[in-house]
Amino acid sequence: MAKPEEKVTFGQRLKQIGMVFSFTAKRDKWFAPLVAAAVLIPLALTVVAVITWGWLWLPVGILLTLLAVLIVLNLRSNAAMMTAAEGQPGAAAQLVENMRGDWRVTTAVSSTTQMDMVHLVLGRPGVILLAEGNPQRVRSLLGQEKRRLAKVIGNAPMYDYIVGTGEDELSIRKLRTTLMRLPRNLTGKDVNALDKRLTALSARPNLPKGAIPKNMRPSKGAFRQMRGR
């Protein structure tokens, strides 16, 4: 059973916001000036409003200032996170895991020792394969996964993307938008049924090919006993 989500206290929330502020400020040179503008402009307008119409405008001005700061923080922190994530192995899977909606991610269903990997995403659009790494090597991995999954997904649509910065590759900055724009081809029941089939496929043991090692072979006496039964 899924564990209930733990409630985040006000202090923890402030700590998280502080960490995001610090992270963004280190990676975005425009963040501090934009935050300053988001504070000074609404406060200046608030002072004018208070002088003109009275103190009732003070709470409104404070709320508008906080809202402006949060908008700047949200926009610039997302951009900073995308910049930091570019080229990092596993970044695409982590981004999808944090998206809103029913996105079921299996990381690195196929990979190489050179950190090339293919992630499996299951959602309302269908089956989605996200590849990260060297384009030549991940194309081979994608082909293998397509053939493997085609045996069990039936008529469910399958999409595949190579996440990167090169030509014909999907930038990680556009990954969220691209997935959200995909058509909703499956119902919730379809997704659950497909999830079970994919889980069963992954659970099948891969038997080694070739001769059985000597230390794993049954003794000759065991065969005679079986024939005698």
Side-chain angles (χ1 to χ4, degrees):
M1 295 177 65
K3 296 181 179 180
E5 294 184 0
E6 297 182 358
K7 293 183 178 180
V8 180
T9 64
F10 181 72
Q12 291 173 329
R13 184 69 66 186
L14 287 179
K15 185 177 180 180
Q16 291 174 354
I17 294 176
M19 293 173 62
V20 175
F21 258 94
S22 177
F23 173 86
T24 308
K26 290 179 181 179
R27 289 165 174 79
D28 185 354
K29 63 180 182 180
W30 291 103
F31 178 64
L34 288 173
V35 169
V39 172
L40 295 176
I41 294 175
L43 285 182
L45 295 175
T46 301
V47 171
V48 174
V50 169
I51 294 174
T52 306
W53 295 292
W55 290 97
L56 291 176
W57 284 90
L58 181 59
V60 176
I62 294 175
L63 290 177
L64 288 176
T65 302
L66 292 175
L67 178 61
V69 172
L70 290 176
I71 290 174
V72 172
L73 175 63
N74 182 54
L75 294 176
R76 303 307 295 187
S77 63
N78 284 337
M81 289 178 183
M82 290 299 101
T83 301
E86 285 182 341
Q88 296 296 322
Q94 185 176 5
L95 187 149
V96 179
E97 285 178 340
N98 293 324
M99 285 174 53
R100 293 181 179 179
D102 187 10
W103 301 96
R104 308 178 189 189
V105 183
T106 305
T107 58
V109 292
S110 182
S111 61
T112 68
T113 56
Q114 291 85 9
M115 299 302 291
D116 309 301
M117 58 189 71
V118 175
H119 312 295
L120 172 63
V121 179
L122 177 60
R124 294 288 297 277
V127 177
I128 305 168
L129 295 174
L130 301 177
E132 295 180 291
N134 181 277
Q136 299 299 325
R137 292 194 294 263
V138 295
R139 284 193 180 95
S140 176
L141 294 179
L142 280 174
Q144 295 174 10
E145 283 304 307
K146 286 181 182 180
R147 291 189 292 270
R148 186 176 74 94
L149 297 176
K151 303 174 183 177
V152 296
I153 66 172
N155 296 325
M158 184 187 299
Y159 305 89
D160 63 274
Y161 302 96
I162 298 178
V163 180
T165 58
E167 187 177 357
D168 298 329
E169 296 177 6
L170 178 63
S171 170
I172 195 169
R173 298 172 182 268
K174 298 180 180 180
L175 177 58
R176 187 196 308 269
T177 305
T178 300
L179 297 188
M180 293 300 293
R181 288 180 177 176
L182 291 175
R184 299 303 187 252
N185 301 304
L186 305 178
T187 64
K189 292 182 178 179
D190 294 334
V191 173
N192 290 333
L194 187 55
D195 192 8
K196 291 180 180 179
R197 294 204 298 270
L198 293 176
T199 301
L201 177 65
S202 301
R204 294 176 185 173
N206 293 321
L207 298 177
K209 298 180 180 180
I212 301 175
K214 291 182 178 180
N215 60 348
M216 297 180 63
R217 297 176 183 174
S219 62
K220 294 181 179 179
F223 284 117
R224 286 194 296 267
Q225 292 177 2
M226 292 177 63
R227 287 196 299 267
R229 291 181 181 178

